[in-house]
Amino acid sequence: MNYQFNFHFLNGQFGALWEGLKVTLELSLVANIVGLVAGFALCLLAMSRWFLLRWPAQLFIEFFRCTPALLQIVWFFYCIPMLFNVFIDPIPMGILALGLNLTAFNAEAYRAGVQAVPREHLDASMALGLRPYQQTLYVILPQALRSALPVLMTNGIAILQQSALVAIVAVSDLMYVGKSIATEAYRPLETYSLIALIYFALSLPIAQLVRLVERRQDAAMAR
């Protein structure tokens, strides 16, 4: 291998990379908030006893879980304006596409957590006279969240990585900026290696935190 690495061309480009990184973090953070909140609501709808609530929620989950995230992003950016004459700025549109994708996956994680809530706890909450929404907020949600937390965090890492897909629709995130720099400087190996290291540095601490949470949960269950 005779290739000579040269990173000098990046001088003066760190400002652009920082701006792209801020867009990536904004996309990932807000999409995670959407996914955490809407995912639990979707989970409740998917587990509803009412068919008219349950069926659309299950269809939503299966659609977003069974189609490529790249296709979903492209559809949101190009098809929604054409079909509904609705034009949204690129970053909010990216948040919407990523957030809905994450909502579907988080709903499944929440459902596993809800199903793990002991029946005795639900019976006790009914015996105490808690209303359905109080049972959901004070009994089901805390326990489901605790059980689903490792999966939710893993999904959060996945959406951080999938946020790079918005570069294909010209959202100026970290990946898009890196692609522009690589094209202008004709140094794709160095540029994409640096971008990969940045994503790795962002994801690794969360991955280690997931392992810590899993170990604590395993230790708690072993007692």
Side-chain angles (χ1 to χ4, degrees), residues 89-205:
D89 290 339
I91 293 179
M93 184 67 85
I95 290 171
L96 179 63
L98 294 170
L100 292 180
N101 176 278
L102 185 59
T103 294
F105 284 90
N106 282 353
E108 287 296 286
Y110 277 122
R111 180 160 66 172
V114 170
Q115 292 173 341
V117 176
R119 181 64 193 180
E120 294 81 2
H121 294 188
L122 298 177
D123 293 339
S125 65
M126 294 176 62
L128 291 172
L130 296 183
R131 297 180 178 180
Y133 78 90
Q134 292 175 318
Q135 294 177 28
T136 301
L137 288 178
Y138 303 129
V139 179
I140 297 175
L141 176 58
Q143 297 188 67
L145 182 60
R146 188 181 304 113
S147 299
L149 188 58
V151 179
L152 295 174
M153 295 173 67
T154 301
N155 290 347
I157 297 174
I159 213 65
L160 168 64
Q161 297 165 354
Q162 289 181 358
S163 69
L165 296 175
V166 301
I168 199 172
V169 288
V171 176
S172 56
D173 72 324
L174 179 62
M175 186 66 186
Y176 182 82
V177 173
K179 179 182 176 182
S180 300
I181 294 174
T183 302
E184 293 172 1
Y186 298 101
R187 308 295 293 190
L189 187 56
E190 293 91 338
T191 305
Y192 290 127
S193 296
L194 176 61
I195 298 300
L197 287 174
I198 294 174
Y199 278 105
F200 177 76
L202 293 173
S203 301
L204 182 60

Side-chain angles (χ1 to χ4, degrees), residues 45 48-58:
L45 292 175
S48 171
R49 68 180 69 179
W50 303 103
F51 177 78
L52 292 179
L53 295 178
R54 185 176 67 252
W55 181 79
Q58 292 175 344

Side-chain angles (χ1 to χ4, degrees), residues 56-86:
Q58 292 175 344
L59 180 63
F60 179 96
I61 292 171
E62 295 307 323
F63 173 80
F64 278 93
R65 291 177 68 235
C66 299
T67 55
L70 177 59
L71 178 60
Q72 295 166 19
I73 290 171
V74 171
W75 194 93
F76 271 88
F77 271 83
Y78 295 116
C79 297
I80 286 183
M82 294 173 62
L83 292 175
F84 305 106
N85 199 31
V86 175

